Amino acid sequence: MSRATKAFFVAVRISFCCGFMVFLLTFLQGDFLASIFTNDPEVIASTQLYLKSCSFEYLLTAINFCMLGYFNGRGRTKFVLLQGVLTVFLVRIPLSYFLSRLPGTNLLIIGIAVPMSALFELLLCIGFFIKLQKEKKVVMP
């Protein structure tokens, strides 16, 4: 168990580095990415706005996916399923809907629902990770 926990932390560091590169690309070059698929300036501008707000998810997802893999490896698949359902149905969908109804909204504002749901997921995962650590008394590196 101790070795799995150490491997988890190594995986988080590697994933976060990759997630940071994707974050930079989507946050700073969203217009370039959109232009690969279309020449329509309105679509490119809208895509750039959306990518700017949702790009923060890549920083959180790098950690979340490692945690979910760790939990699956420990046989805690019910938690993985439950947190996925809660994240989508309690945060991402309702928040996207709410933000889409604000006056003067745009894709930058609506896209905030994406990293907010990832943050909610991360908080659930951290709480469950701490619970597991207390249960098994596994030493964290």
Side-chain angles (χ1 to χ4, degrees), residues 1 8 12-13 27 29 31 38 44 47 50 52 62 66 69 75 77 83 91-92 94 98 104 108 110 113-114 116 136:
M1 201 60 63
F8 160 70
V12 166
R13 288 192 288 273
F27 187 80
Q29 297 294 316
D31 55 340
T38 184
I44 292 171
T47 302
Y50 179 74
K52 193 169 287 287
C66 291
T77 56
Q83 68 75 35
V91 180
R92 188 172 292 212
F98 171 76
L108 180 71
I110 297 169
V114 176
M116 293 306 292
K136 295 293 183 182

Coordinates of all heavy atoms in Angstrom, one line a residue, residues 1 8 12-13 27 29 31 38 44 47 50 52 62 66 69 75 77 83 91-92 94 98 104 108 110 113-114 116 136:
M1 N 0.8 -1.2 0.0 CA 0.0 0.0 0.0 C 0.9 1.3 0.0 O 0.6 2.2 -0.7 CB -0.9 0.0 1.2 CG -2.1 0.8 1.1 SD -3.2 0.5 -0.3 CE -3.8 -1.2 0.2
F8 N 1.4 7.0 -6.6 CA 0.4 7.9 -6.9 C 1.0 9.3 -6.9 O 0.6 10.1 -7.8 CB -0.7 7.8 -5.8 CG -1.6 9.0 -5.7 CD1 -2.5 9.3 -6.6 CD2 -1.5 9.8 -4.5 CE1 -3.3 10.5 -6.5 CE2 -2.2 10.9 -4.4 CZ -3.2 11.2 -5.4
V12 N 1.0 12.0 -10.0 CA 0.4 13.4 -9.9 C 1.4 14.4 -10.4 O 1.1 15.3 -11.2 CB 0.0 13.7 -8.4 CG1 -0.3 15.2 -8.3 CG2 -1.2 12.9 -8.1
R13 N 2.7 14.3 -10.0 CA 3.7 15.3 -10.4 C 3.9 15.2 -12.0 O 3.9 16.3 -12.6 CB 5.0 15.1 -9.7 CG 5.0 15.5 -8.3 CD 6.3 15.5 -7.6 NE 6.9 14.2 -7.4 CZ 6.7 13.5 -6.3 NH1 5.9 13.9 -5.3 NH2 7.3 12.3 -6.2
F27 N -5.0 28.2 -22.7 CA -5.2 29.5 -22.2 C -4.6 30.6 -23.1 O -5.3 31.7 -23.3 CB -4.6 29.6 -20.8 CG -5.0 30.9 -20.1 CD1 -6.2 31.1 -19.4 CD2 -4.1 32.0 -20.0 CE1 -6.5 32.2 -18.8 CE2 -4.4 33.2 -19.4 CZ -5.6 33.3 -18.8
Q29 N -3.2 30.1 -26.4 CA -3.3 29.9 -27.8 C -4.6 29.3 -28.2 O -4.7 28.6 -29.2 CB -2.1 29.1 -28.3 CG -0.8 29.7 -28.1 CD -0.6 31.0 -28.9 OE1 -0.9 31.0 -30.1 NE2 -0.1 32.0 -28.3
D31 N -7.1 30.6 -29.7 CA -7.4 31.0 -31.1 C -6.7 30.2 -32.1 O -7.3 29.8 -33.2 CB -7.2 32.5 -31.3 CG -5.8 32.9 -31.0 OD1 -5.0 32.2 -30.3 OD2 -5.3 34.0 -31.4
T38 N -11.4 25.6 -38.2 CA -12.3 26.5 -38.9 C -11.6 27.8 -39.2 O -10.6 28.2 -38.6 CB -13.6 26.8 -38.1 OG1 -14.4 27.6 -38.8 CG2 -13.2 27.5 -36.8
I44 N -13.8 31.1 -34.0 CA -12.5 31.2 -33.4 C -12.5 32.0 -32.1 O -12.0 31.6 -31.0 CB -11.5 31.7 -34.4 CG1 -11.3 30.6 -35.5 CG2 -10.1 32.0 -33.7 CD1 -10.4 31.1 -36.6
T47 N -14.5 30.2 -29.3 CA -13.7 29.1 -28.9 C -12.6 29.5 -28.0 O -12.3 29.0 -26.9 CB -13.2 28.3 -30.0 OG1 -14.3 27.8 -30.8 CG2 -12.4 27.1 -29.5
Y50 N -14.0 30.3 -24.6 CA -14.4 29.1 -23.8 C -13.1 28.4 -23.3 O -13.0 28.0 -22.1 CB -15.2 28.2 -24.7 CG -15.5 26.9 -24.0 CD1 -16.5 26.9 -23.0 CD2 -14.9 25.7 -24.3 CE1 -16.9 25.7 -22.4 CE2 -15.2 24.5 -23.7 CZ -16.2 24.5 -22.7 OH -16.5 23.4 -22.0
K52 N -10.2 29.7 -22.7 CA -9.6 30.5 -21.7 C -10.2 30.2 -20.3 O -9.4 30.0 -19.3 CB -9.7 32.0 -22.0 CG -8.8 32.8 -21.1 CD -8.7 34.3 -21.6 CE -8.0 34.5 -22.8 NZ -6.5 34.4 -22.8
A62 N -5.5 16.7 -14.0 CA -4.3 16.0 -13.9 C -4.2 15.3 -12.6 O -3.7 14.2 -12.5 CB -3.1 16.9 -14.2
C66 N -5.4 10.9 -11.5 CA -4.5 10.1 -10.8 C -5.2 9.6 -9.5 O -5.0 8.4 -9.2 CB -3.3 10.9 -10.4 SG -2.2 11.2 -11.8
G69 N -7.7 6.8 -10.5 CA -6.9 5.6 -10.7 C -6.5 4.9 -9.5 O -6.5 3.7 -9.3
G75 N -9.8 -0.7 -5.2 CA -11.1 -1.4 -5.1 C -12.2 -0.5 -4.7 O -13.2 -0.9 -4.3
T77 N -14.3 1.5 -6.3 CA -14.9 1.9 -7.5 C -16.3 2.5 -7.3 O -16.7 3.3 -8.1 CB -15.1 0.6 -8.4 OG1 -15.8 -0.4 -7.7 CG2 -13.8 0.1 -8.9
Q83 N -18.7 10.0 -7.1 CA -18.1 11.3 -7.3 C -18.3 11.8 -8.7 O -18.5 13.0 -8.9 CB -16.7 11.4 -6.8 CG -15.6 10.7 -7.7 CD -15.3 11.4 -9.0 OE1 -15.3 12.6 -9.1 NE2 -15.1 10.6 -10.0
V91 N -22.9 19.9 -10.0 CA -22.1 21.1 -10.2 C -22.1 21.5 -11.7 O -22.6 22.5 -12.1 CB -20.7 20.9 -9.7 CG1 -19.9 22.2 -9.9 CG2 -20.7 20.6 -8.2
R92 N -21.6 20.6 -12.5 CA -21.3 21.0 -13.9 C -22.6 21.4 -14.7 O -22.6 22.5 -15.3 CB -20.5 19.9 -14.7 CG -20.1 20.4 -16.1 CD -19.2 19.5 -16.7 NE -17.9 19.4 -16.0 CZ -16.8 19.1 -16.6 NH1 -16.7 19.0 -17.9 NH2 -15.7 19.1 -15.9
P94 N -25.8 22.0 -13.5 CA -26.6 23.1 -13.0 C -25.8 24.5 -13.1 O -26.4 25.5 -13.4 CB -26.8 22.8 -11.5 CG -26.6 21.3 -11.4 CD -25.7 21.0 -12.5
F98 N -27.1 27.7 -15.1 CA -27.2 29.0 -14.4 C -26.4 30.1 -15.1 O -26.9 31.2 -15.3 CB -26.8 28.9 -12.9 CG -26.7 30.2 -12.2 CD1 -27.9 30.8 -11.8 CD2 -25.5 30.7 -11.9 CE1 -27.8 32.0 -11.1 CE2 -25.4 32.0 -11.3 CZ -26.5 32.6 -10.8
G104 N -26.1 39.1 -20.5 CA -24.8 39.4 -21.1 C -23.7 38.3 -21.0 O -22.5 38.6 -21.1
L108 N -16.9 32.6 -22.1 CA -16.0 32.7 -21.1 C -16.6 32.5 -19.7 O -16.1 31.7 -18.9 CB -15.3 34.1 -21.1 CG -14.3 34.4 -20.0 CD1 -13.0 33.6 -20.3 CD2 -14.0 35.9 -20.0
I110 N -19.7 31.0 -19.2 CA -20.3 29.6 -19.1 C -19.2 28.6 -18.9 O -19.4 27.6 -18.1 CB -21.1 29.3 -20.4 CG1 -22.2 30.3 -20.5 CG2 -21.5 27.9 -20.4 CD1 -22.9 30.3 -21.8
A113 N -17.9 26.9 -15.4 CA -18.5 25.7 -14.8 C -17.6 24.5 -14.9 O -17.6 23.6 -14.0 CB -19.9 25.4 -15.5
V114 N -16.8 24.4 -15.9 CA -15.9 23.3 -16.1 C -14.8 23.2 -15.0 O -14.7 22.2 -14.3 CB -15.3 23.3 -17.5 CG1 -14.3 22.2 -17.7 CG2 -16.3 23.3 -18.6
M116 N -14.9 24.7 -12.2 CA -15.5 24.6 -10.9 C -16.0 23.2 -10.5 O -15.9 22.8 -9.4 CB -16.8 25.6 -10.8 CG -16.4 27.0 -10.9 SD -15.2 27.5 -9.6 CE -16.2 27.4 -8.2
K136 N -6.1 3.1 6.9 CA -5.0 2.1 6.8 C -3.7 2.5 7.4 O -2.7 1.8 7.4 CB -4.8 1.8 5.3 CG -5.9 1.1 4.6 CD -6.1 -0.2 5.1 CE -7.2 -0.9 4.4 NZ -7.5 -2.3 4.9

